[in-house]
Amino acid sequence: MRVAVTGANGLLGGEAVAQLAGSHQVLALGRGPCRLPPGPFAWADADLGDGRSAERALLDFGAQAVLHAGAHTDVDGCERDPDAAWRVNVGGTEQVARACRALPARLVAVSTDYVFDGRAGPYGEEDLPCPRGVYARTKLCGEEAALVLAPGAAVARVSVVYSGRPGAKPTFATQIVEKLSRGEPVKAFADQWVSPTLAASGAATCLELLLESDYAGVLHASGATVLDRVDFAERVARRFGLRGQILGVPTASVKLPAPRPLRGGLRVERARRLLRHGPIDADEAIDRFHAEWQRRSA
Ligand SMILES: NC(=O)c1ccc[n+]([C@@H]2O[C@H](COP(=O)([O-])OP(=O)(O)OC[C@H]3O[C@@H](n4cnc5c(N)ncnc54)[C@H](OP(=O)(O)O)[C@@H]3O)[C@@H](O)[C@H]2O)c1
């Protein structure tokens, strides 16, 4: 099958390309040059924010299925530059969805638990979004663009993505390991409840949804355990055999440009029911993260 992945230099997109390559004809799309290890896939340099290049690349490739994982994910950067956030998260998703409708190709667009305000999480698919902040608002508009413009599309929401893959960008999880290994304390927001999503597991869930299911609409595809960031940091530290200080701090103690949902997190029963590679529990994900980390440092 001809499968395309946007955001291929990213945490989730990079994993998806690695999982697909070899079994499918793969087009990986990203901004600028490819930063993935070489493999059996083609690369397209396509800026999601320029109005046409991703759409053209998908049409030229003749994609049959598209995982749209590219996004402006810098939450505070989006708050500072709403035009850029809109261009990429809404305009970029529009381009991808239009291409999918024209081809036609099945579309799974990745989104976020930030579409909820974090007053009463964890949230199920039927709960009404109430985004706060530019990133959250543009991601919700991107969801609508996918669902409106690409018939039969699915939106897969994830939360706090992390990866131990070589070359993967730093995340909260990798900072926990690196700081504690250096003997430095880790600060963690004690009042933010999230559903951490190991990129490899989230990518497997999204790909099964894309290639083996015709589910249309929103599906929660994050990690299966809802926990606060201190609990997450303590579990990571325990698994890595690291001692040291994990300091819980309130979100309000740090001045951040964009608001953060507090009581967030996603309920994933539906994805677990529907899919073989559905959401996994936090400790299993952290075990896999640990194995990725060992391979990376070997
Ligand atoms: N990361 C999280 O904690 C998190 C949480 C909830 C939901 N999500 C969602 O999950 C999906 C995957 O994100 P991720 O976790 O893999 O984050 P990521 O590592 O930041 O990946 C996003 C990718 O999109 C690319 N991108 C950004 N602007 C672009 C543009 N103008 N044109 C083309 N590509 C562009 C980035 O390119 P560069 O690599 O060149 O910057 C990056 O590779 C996104 O929809 C995101 O909103 C992420």
Side-chain angles (χ1 to χ4, degrees):
M1 205 178 203
R2 284 190 300 283
V3 187
V5 179
T6 71
N9 274 327
L11 293 165
L12 211 125
E15 282 296 341
V17 170
Q19 290 177 24
L20 287 164
S23 320
H24 294 273
Q25 204 179 325
V26 180
L27 179 69
L29 294 92
R31 144 176 84 169
C34 177
R35 302 195 302 271
L36 297 174
F41 58 85
W43 180 262
D45 173 358
D47 191 327
L48 287 165
D50 77 358
R52 279 308 299 273
S53 57
E55 185 174 356
R56 267 197 303 266
L58 293 171
L59 293 172
D60 290 349
F61 175 59
Q64 295 168 293
V66 179
L67 179 64
H68 177 43
H72 191 340
T73 56
D74 173 357
V75 175
D76 293 323
C78 286
E79 202 69 21
R80 284 187 287 259
D81 188 350
D83 285 342
W86 187 271
R87 270 197 310 275
V88 177
N89 293 346
V90 188
T93 308
E94 274 179 17
Q95 298 192 42
V96 170
R98 282 213 182 87
C100 288
R101 185 179 58 198
L103 280 159
R106 170 147 171 82
L107 171 62
V108 170
V110 185
S111 190
T112 172
D113 56 339
Y114 274 31
V115 297
F116 298 108
D117 60 14
R119 289 184 211 275
Y123 295 95
E125 286 86 353
E126 307 305 338
D127 288 317
L128 278 183
C130 181
R132 295 168 63 231
V134 172
Y135 170 74
R137 285 173 187 272
T138 57
K139 289 297 292 181
L140 182 60
C141 292
E143 290 188 358
E144 293 301 329
L147 297 174
V148 168
L149 296 175
V155 164
R157 291 185 184 138
V158 297
S159 164
V160 185
V161 179
Y162 66 108
S163 170
R165 181 171 59 83
K169 76 174 188 188
T171 55
F172 179 51
T174 59
Q175 282 167 14
I176 296 164
V177 178
E178 281 169 351
K179 284 195 170 174
L180 292 180
S181 302
R182 291 197 297 264
E184 294 170 21
V186 168
K187 279 190 185 169
F189 292 123
D191 52 358
Q192 282 185 26
W193 290 72
V194 293
S195 300
T197 309
L198 183 72
S201 167
T205 303
C206 289
L207 290 178
E208 186 183 346
L209 181 64
L210 181 71
L211 301 175
E212 298 179 45
S213 154
D214 58 3
Y215 180 91
V218 173
L219 189 70
H220 288 177
S222 62
T225 310
V226 180
L227 72 188
D228 68 69
R229 285 177 180 265
V230 172
D231 186 355
F232 179 65
E234 285 172 350
R235 289 180 194 222
V236 170
R238 225 174 12 253
R239 181 62 188 85
F240 280 71
L242 292 166
R243 289 172 196 287
Q245 256 190 317
I246 295 168
L247 305 166
V249 295
T251 303
S253 67
V254 181
K255 199 167 166 12
L256 297 165
R260 303 299 201 266
L262 297 181
R263 278 270 161 186
L266 298 173
R267 297 200 2 241
V268 296
E269 293 85 353
R270 189 179 296 179
R272 282 190 135 176
R273 239 186 358 258
L274 282 174
L275 302 170
R276 282 175 293 116
H277 301 292
I280 59 172
D281 291 330
D283 289 326
E284 185 185 344
I286 292 167
D287 279 348
R288 292 198 202 171
F289 172 58
H290 182 253
E292 291 175 347
W293 194 267
Q294 305 249 303
R295 281 198 294 277
R296 151 187 180 145
S297 9

